[in-house]
């Protein structure tokens, strides 16, 4: 029996288990495929996957498996363009600006000296981020020239992607940010991620509570989702003291465990319903 939906993963998290359980409850034939065990013959008609929900944590495994399957005609959520655009903070920033979505101010520099010169001109503090990365890893706050020199110097000896220095304004805001889960053109649930630390990632100890969805927020998130050509994404926003709501990230394979927990919204079922609807 051919699957209705394939969940493509490389790590089983709460989210992937939730999709499988929701499929059982809704009598949807779910196929779970471990991408680490996947080999795709690029010269043959693909197996019947149904619609694929891409859930690989690895950025590069995610992109390349999506490219292979899409190239053979398989429908993948999210598509390759979303993986590329949303997976890179610089690409996301430029597309959001083009779409008229408010963002934190940012600068990109392509050497240590250029980054330090930009910081001297623009001032501190700033936040330095890898253009590719998640869970708050390798994101640092630069308070002065000494800290900037040390952190940027260390990155100059890393993999080339970390030698692209993405410098973002340190946004003055309440001690929280917002994670909105988009399924199609709708925010199905949103949470505040509260933290006394300037990083609010749940992986770093942020505390979730429900966030009321406003019309302004939903309109902004729809624009952000469309800017990266996404179907199911997480949009991260901050409440800037100066600019109001700004979008600082769009997540391709968004995590939603804590959103389900505090909002009591069955996001896995909504994802499956959406996947089957667009497949038809």
């Amino acid at each position: 029996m051919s699957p209705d939906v394939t969940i493509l993963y490389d790590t089983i998290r709460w989210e992937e288990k939730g999709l499988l359980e929701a499929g059982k409850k809704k009598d949807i034939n779910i196929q779970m495929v471990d991408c680490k065990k996947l080999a795709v013959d690029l010269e043959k008609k693909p197996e019947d996957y149904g619609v694929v929900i891409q859930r690989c944590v690895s950025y590069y495994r995610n992109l390349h498996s999506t490219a292979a399957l899409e190239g053979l005609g398989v429908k993948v959520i999210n598509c390759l363009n979303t993986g590329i655009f949303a997976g890179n903070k610089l690409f996301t920033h430029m597309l959001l600006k083009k779409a008229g979505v408010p963002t934190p101010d940012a600068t990109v520099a392509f050497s240590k000296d250029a980054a330090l010169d930009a910081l001297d001109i623009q001032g501190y503090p700033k936040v330095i981020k890898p253009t590719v990365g998640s869970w708050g890893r390798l994101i640092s706050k630069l308070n002065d020239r000494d800290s900037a020199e040390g952190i940027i110097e260390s990155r100059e000896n890393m993999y080339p992607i970390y030698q692209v220095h993405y410098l973002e304004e340190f946004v003055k805001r309440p001690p929280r940010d917002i994670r909105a889960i988009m399924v199609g053109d709708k925010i199905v649930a949103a949470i505040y991620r509260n933290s006394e630390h300037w990083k609010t990632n749940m992986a770093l100890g942020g505390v979730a509570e429900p966030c009321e969805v406003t019309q302004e927020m939903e309109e902004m998130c729809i624009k952000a989702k469309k800017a990266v050509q996404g179907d199911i994404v997480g949009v991260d926003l901050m409440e800037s003291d100066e600019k109001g709501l700004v979008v600082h990230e769009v997540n391709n394979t968004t995590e939603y465990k804590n959103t389900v927990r505090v909002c009591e919204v069955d996001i896995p079922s909504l994802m499956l319903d959406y996947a089957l609807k667009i497949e038809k």
Side-chain angles (χ1 to χ4, degrees):
M1 182 177 174
S2 299
D4 300 312
V5 175
T6 294
I7 309 300
L8 184 60
Y9 67 93
D10 55 7
T11 302
I12 289 285
R13 299 168 292 177
W14 185 96
E15 287 79 3
E16 289 70 48
K17 293 177 182 177
L19 286 165
L20 181 59
E21 289 303 311
K24 290 178 180 177
K25 291 177 182 177
K26 298 174 74 67
D27 198 26
I28 297 170
N29 185 15
I30 301 284
Q31 174 181 237
M32 302 291 290
V33 174
D34 185 345
C35 196
K36 298 189 296 294
K37 299 177 181 178
L38 179 66
V40 180
D41 188 334
L42 304 180
E43 311 307 322
K44 291 184 179 179
K45 183 179 178 181
E47 300 174 22
D48 190 352
Y49 289 94
V51 61
V52 173
I53 297 181
Q54 173 63 267
R55 295 295 305 172
C56 286
V57 174
S58 163
Y59 172 71
Y60 295 102
R61 195 177 283 130
N62 185 308
L63 285 189
H64 290 81
S65 60
T66 299
L69 293 171
E70 278 193 346
L72 294 172
V74 178
K75 174 64 180 178
V76 182
I77 300 174
N78 288 303
C79 70
L80 177 60
N81 281 350
T82 306
I84 294 170
F85 298 152
N88 184 299
K89 294 176 180 63
L90 171 60
F91 299 170
T92 301
H93 180 85
M94 301 316 298
L95 289 166
L96 291 175
K97 286 185 68 69
K98 187 176 180 180
V101 177
T103 61
D105 294 343
T107 297
V108 62
F110 300 96
S111 72
K112 173 187 173 183
D113 289 342
L116 292 172
D117 287 347
L119 288 164
D120 285 342
I121 293 169
Q122 296 174 8
Y124 297 88
K126 286 286 190 293
V127 177
I128 186 169
K129 298 180 175 182
T131 56
V132 175
S134 58
W135 297 331
R137 293 173 298 195
L138 289 177
I139 295 178
S140 300
K141 184 182 176 188
L142 308 178
N143 290 316
D144 52 38
R145 172 94 183 195
D146 287 343
S147 64
E149 283 184 337
I151 289 169
I152 294 172
E153 177 65 36
S154 69
R155 293 177 188 230
E156 289 287 293
N157 297 306
M158 294 182 181
Y159 192 73
I161 191 67
Y162 299 115
Q163 298 170 31
V164 177
H165 305 296
Y166 184 79
L167 308 168
E168 190 174 87
E169 72 168 302
F170 184 72
V171 176
K172 295 179 181 178
R173 56 172 174 79
R176 65 189 186 189
D177 73 355
I178 298 169
R179 163 67 59 85
I181 305 297
M182 299 287 300
V183 178
D185 286 342
K186 180 178 176 57
I187 298 178
V188 296
I191 57 171
Y192 290 114
R193 300 187 300 184
N194 300 283
S195 177
E196 293 305 315
H197 192 273
W198 63 272
K199 293 183 185 180
T200 57
N201 305 72
M202 302 303 297
L204 300 176
V207 177
E209 65 174 322
C211 172
E212 182 182 353
V213 177
T214 65
Q215 183 176 349
E216 177 193 12
M217 187 193 304
E218 186 150 73
E219 290 174 354
M220 192 177 294
C221 288
I222 290 171
K223 286 183 179 179
K225 178 196 78 83
K226 290 182 176 178
V228 299
Q229 300 179 22
D231 282 300
I232 298 172
V233 299
V235 181
D236 293 345
L237 308 98
M238 289 186 281
E239 303 156 286
S240 167
D241 290 349
E242 298 176 355
K243 300 180 181 178
L245 283 177
V246 294
V247 173
H248 63 281
E249 194 162 339
V250 183
N251 301 274
N252 177 30
T253 52
T254 188
E255 295 177 329
Y256 49 84
K257 172 184 176 180
N258 288 292
T259 311
V260 169
R261 177 176 59 82
V262 302
C263 296
E264 299 182 344
V265 175
D266 189 354
I267 294 174
S269 288
L270 295 174
M271 290 173 63
L272 291 174
D273 290 344
Y274 179 83
L276 292 174
K277 178 181 176 181
I278 65 171
E279 175 68 358
K280 296 176 181 178

